[in-house]
């Protein structure tokens, strides 16, 4: 079975956008392809560590100092995305990876740019009209409170990060 041409186009457009992003606090997407069986895949950097959901499950609250470091590094990445006119749209604990640099300093990377969109592009639901992202962390705008003609912007990601940090 061949992939829906619209889904194929969206995957290629979003993957091309993601491969152009380069920031120390974003997971690097090296390449992408769709094979003859219409299976789409991304080639990403490997991040040795845990996501924030796993961190909380394994160790509880990370404490104030680490939470502030997580906030700072995540904001650096989001600032970069927003200057590039990209909205992540799925900032949540399982999309924030925590690892350690060689010198032992905590290092945060935002992962899963799979539903990131350029801010000036219209928001599209999936073919079945299903919301993409995690409702618990979604801004009111993502949950349907945008007026006709308005576009989602970086403030939505900041709202989601605020919810994540509140939980930390």
């Amino acid at each position: 079975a061949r992939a829906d041409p619209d889904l194929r186009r969206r995957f290629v457009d979003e993957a091309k956008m993601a491969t152009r992003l380069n920031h120390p606090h974003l997971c690097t997407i090296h390449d992408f392809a769709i094979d003859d069986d219409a299976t789409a895949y991304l080639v990403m950097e490997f991040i040795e560590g845990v996501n924030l959901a796993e961190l909380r499950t394994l160790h509880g609250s990370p404490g104030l100092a680490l939470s502030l470091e997580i906030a700072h590094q995540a904001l650096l990445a989001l600032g970069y995305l927003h200057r590039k006119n990209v909205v992540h749209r799925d900032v949540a604990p399982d999309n924030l990876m925590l690892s350690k640099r060689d010198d032992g300093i905590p290092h945060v990377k935002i992962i899963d740019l799979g539903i990131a969109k350029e801010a000036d592009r219209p928001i599209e639901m999936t073919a079945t009209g299903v919301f993409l992202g995690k409702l618990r962390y979604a801004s009111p705008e993502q949950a349907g409170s945008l007026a006709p003609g308005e576009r989602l912007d970086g403030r939505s990601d900041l709202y989601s990060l605020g919810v994540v940090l509140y939980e930390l």
Side-chain angles (χ1 to χ4, degrees):
R2 296 284 171 215
D4 177 298
D6 185 53
L7 289 176
R8 182 184 282 273
R9 176 196 54 80
R10 285 174 50 192
F11 172 79
V12 169
D13 288 349
E14 292 166 21
K16 282 181 183 176
M17 180 267 305
T19 58
R20 290 191 301 262
L21 300 172
N22 183 17
H23 189 274
H25 296 291
L26 287 178
C27 178
T28 302
I29 307 223
H30 299 291
D31 202 0
F32 64 93
I34 302 176
D35 67 16
D36 293 338
D37 295 326
T39 301
Y41 63 92
L42 298 171
V43 179
M44 301 183 280
E45 84 175 284
F46 174 74
I47 302 169
E48 189 170 339
V50 296
N51 66 43
L52 294 187
E54 294 167 333
L55 177 75
R56 288 182 55 218
T57 299
L58 295 171
H59 304 288
S61 175
L64 182 59
L66 182 54
S67 294
L68 289 173
E69 191 61 34
I70 290 167
H72 178 244
Q73 293 182 30
L75 286 167
L76 290 172
L78 290 177
Y80 169 83
L81 286 177
H82 299 160
R83 285 189 301 279
K84 295 286 188 181
N85 202 33
V86 173
V87 181
H88 186 280
R89 300 190 330 147
D90 194 18
V91 176
D94 57 339
N95 288 334
L96 291 163
M97 292 290 297
L98 182 63
S99 62
K100 288 186 180 178
R101 299 185 329 200
D102 290 341
D103 58 7
I105 302 290
H107 191 80
V108 173
K109 285 201 180 234
I110 295 178
I111 64 170
D112 197 8
L113 294 166
I115 65 170
K117 296 276 189 206
E118 294 180 84
D120 56 359
R121 290 185 55 200
I123 296 171
E124 304 167 4
M125 293 292 215
T126 62
T128 57
V130 174
F131 170 80
L132 291 172
K134 293 161 197 75
L135 197 51
R136 178 178 184 152
Y137 302 97
S139 68
E141 295 79 18
Q142 280 180 281
S145 71
L146 275 178
E150 286 186 339
R151 300 277 189 246
L152 198 65
D153 62 34
R155 294 174 292 182
S156 179
D157 287 341
L158 295 177
Y159 177 95
S160 299
L161 181 60
V163 176
V164 171
L165 296 174
Y166 175 78
E167 288 184 347
L168 290 181

